[in-house]
Each structure stands twice: as structure tokens, then as C-alpha cells.
């Protein structure tokens, strides 16, 4: 049997990344930030001035990129792109390249290989539905759009990056719509997923709720 996987999906700003990190630390498990893969691809395509809407070209690029995680740093062809993939422009670019079937196919085995012992916390949009359909536990995190935009704003500001709340709110709505309505692995509540609305919850509350769900897995 493979390593246990906790799949955490949800829209942008629902707290997936933060919760995944906390859980991984608590359990001593590995973590997969699948959004970082799409962000790296969007960045690489932008830098090479390629057409982000060209699915075949994006699929080829996805297959040749060397992406590595080193602690909390993300390395793209050995360059630390941790900050470059978190700018306000990087999210929409990631969503644009994420719609293509060749892209998702190229990244599938890479993501599945991340499931190693003692276990994996995988965060994204299709962890429970497509990448790890047999996950030990599936969680769907949600929060009101206003709260999610506020969190993103705070995150960017804390990193000393430029941020504008109305623009972020608009960008978040557009990205959610794209992620929910695309044909390939759209953002949905996976079969059997436990839905947690984090709008009024602290990080500790959410971590405790997920751990309680994990303990009740037979
Ligand atoms: O989670 P994050 O905001 O880093 O994801 C950036 C974008 O990458 C998402 O808006 C989505 O379009 C795409 N993504 C995806 N599937 C995943 C993770 C992210 O399509 N599993």
C-alpha cells in the first residue's frame, strides 16, 4: 500500500497553503504545494514570451521544467523563484496555463511521486478529485470571497510586496471562475470530501478540525 495522503482543495485564499504547512509540521509528513507547479510554468512561459494559451507549447514546457522544493523555497531549473511565483501577476498566469490538458498530464506523475512515507499533505484544486482519488482523507476548505481577498492582501503586504485590495478581490473572483468552470480537473468538492468553512476560524481551529477528521478515518 502507498503512503497515506491528506488532500486539501479549495479556492484561492481559503487557507490551504498555511493549513497544509501546519499539518505537515504537526504530523512530520511531506507537503505538496501543487499550485507552485502551475505558478512556475506560468512564470517560465512569461519569461520566454510564449503564448500561455497555446496548450501544446505549455505541455512541452511543463514536461521539460525542473521544479524542486527545498524546505519552503521553490527552485525552477535551480533558480530560487519563491518570490517571483507569488507576485500579484503570477496567480492569474498560473490559472491560464492550468486549463490545458497536456499541462495537467505532464505534471500528474510528478505530483503522485510526492506521496512518500510517512505521509503527504497535498494542497491544490484537484488533489482529491484527480491526483489522489484514493486519498486517506479529503478536505475542502472554503471562506467568503471578502475574507479570502483580505488574507491574500495581508500575505503580500507581509512580504513587502505591492497589493491593492479592490484589484486583488477582482483578480480572485476571475481566477476562481476560471478554476471552477474549466473542462480539465475543475475546482469542485471531491467525492467524500469534508467541507470546512474557514471564514470565522483561526488557523489553529482549522488544523484541529482536520486532525480530528484524520483521527476518525477507519
Ligand atoms: O494555489 P495557488 O493559488 O498557488 O494556485 C495557482 C493556480 O494554479 C490556481 O488558480 C489554479 O488555476 C492552478 N492550480 C490548479 N490545480 C492545482 C493547483 C493549482 O489548477 N492542483
Amino acid at each position: 500500500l502507498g503512503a497515506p495522503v491528506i488532500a486539501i482543495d479549495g479556492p484561492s485564499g481559503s487557507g490551504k497553503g498555511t493549513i497544509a504547512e501546519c499539518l505537515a509540521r504537526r504530523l512530520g509528513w511531506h507537503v505538496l504545494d501543487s499550485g507552485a507547479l502551475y505558478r512556475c510554468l506560468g512564470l517560465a512561459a512569461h519569461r520566454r514570451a510564449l503564448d500561455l494559451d497555446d496548450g501544446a507549447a505549455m505541455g512541452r514546457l511543463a514536461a521539460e521544467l525542473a521544479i524542486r522544493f527545498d524546505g519552503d523555497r521553490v527552485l525552477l531549473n535551480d533558480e530560487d523563484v519563491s518570490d517571483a511565483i507569488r507576485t500579484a501577476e503570477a496567480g492569474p498566469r498560473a490559472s491560464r496555463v492550468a486549463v490545458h490538458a497536456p499541462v495537467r498530464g505532464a505534471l500528474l506523475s510528478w505530483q503522485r511521486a510526492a506521496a512518500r512515507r510517512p505521509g503527504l499533505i497535498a494542497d491544490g484544486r484537484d488533489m482529491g478529485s484527480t491526483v489522489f482519488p484514493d486519498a486517506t482523507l479529503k478536505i475542502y476548505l472554503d471562506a467568503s470571497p471578502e475574507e479570502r481577498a483580505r488574507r491574500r492582501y495581508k500575505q503580500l503586504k507581509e512580504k513587502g510586496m505591492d497589493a491593492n485590495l479592490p484589484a486583488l478581490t477582482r483578480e480572485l473572483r476571475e481566477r476562481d471562475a476560471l478554476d471552477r468552470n474549466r473542462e480539465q480537473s475543475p475546482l469542485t468538492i471531491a467525492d467524500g470530501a469534508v467541507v470546512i468553512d474557514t471564514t470565522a476560524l483561526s488557523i489553529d481551529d482549522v488544523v484541529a478540525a482536520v486532525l480530528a477528521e484524520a483521527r476518525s478515518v477507519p
Side-chain angles (χ1 to χ4, degrees):
L1 231 64
V5 173
I6 297 181
I8 304 185
D9 292 302
S12 343
S14 56
K16 302 181 306 287
T18 306
I19 299 304
E21 289 294 342
C22 289
L23 284 169
R25 229 176 299 126
R26 283 284 286 272
L27 297 169
W29 286 15
H30 305 282
V31 58
L32 169 66
D33 169 8
S34 63
L37 303 177
Y38 297 95
R39 287 171 178 269
C40 281
L41 179 60
L43 177 69
H46 171 70
R47 282 179 173 176
R48 296 180 195 196
L50 296 174
D51 178 4
L52 278 69
D53 301 319
D54 181 340
M58 291 304 104
R60 281 194 298 276
L61 185 59
E64 72 168 70
L65 291 181
I67 300 168
R68 275 194 303 127
F69 293 98
D70 184 6
D72 64 346
R73 311 310 290 172
V74 182
L75 304 178
L76 171 61
N77 295 331
D78 288 325
E79 174 196 346
D80 186 342
V81 293
S82 313
D83 293 331
I85 62 167
R86 302 285 164 210
T87 63
E89 299 78 37
R93 270 183 209 133
S95 297
R96 257 173 85 194
V97 298
V99 304
H100 306 302
V103 165
R104 308 202 71 91
L107 298 177
L108 195 57
S109 58
W110 197 102
Q111 295 177 83
R112 288 191 174 146
R116 283 176 289 114
R117 295 205 166 272
L120 178 72
I121 314 285
D123 115 52
R125 304 290 183 294
D126 63 341
M127 297 297 97
S129 61
T130 308
V131 181
F132 301 109
D134 300 324
T136 322
L137 174 65
K138 300 179 186 181
I139 300 287
Y140 185 92
L141 294 187
D142 211 345
S144 72
E146 295 74 22
E147 174 63 15
R148 294 190 285 112
R150 209 185 54 76
R151 288 178 188 168
R152 266 289 143 89
Y153 178 81
K154 213 169 134 242
Q155 231 173 28
L156 288 171
K157 281 290 184 189
E158 276 167 7
K159 287 187 187 160
M161 293 188 189
D162 257 356
N164 167 307
L165 191 57
L168 267 181
T169 308
R170 205 175 333 110
E171 181 258 298
L172 203 109
R173 280 183 198 284
E174 285 169 9
R175 189 139 66 92
D176 282 351
L178 190 61
D179 289 347
R180 287 201 170 95
N181 298 320
R182 71 184 176 211
E183 212 164 299
Q184 308 294 329
S185 299
L187 169 66
T188 56
I189 301 175
D191 271 347
V194 177
V195 179
I196 302 177
D197 186 329
T198 71
T199 308
L201 298 182
S202 69
I203 293 170
D204 286 347
D205 290 341
V206 181
V207 170
V210 176
L211 287 174
E213 291 294 340
R215 275 192 291 271
S216 69
V217 171

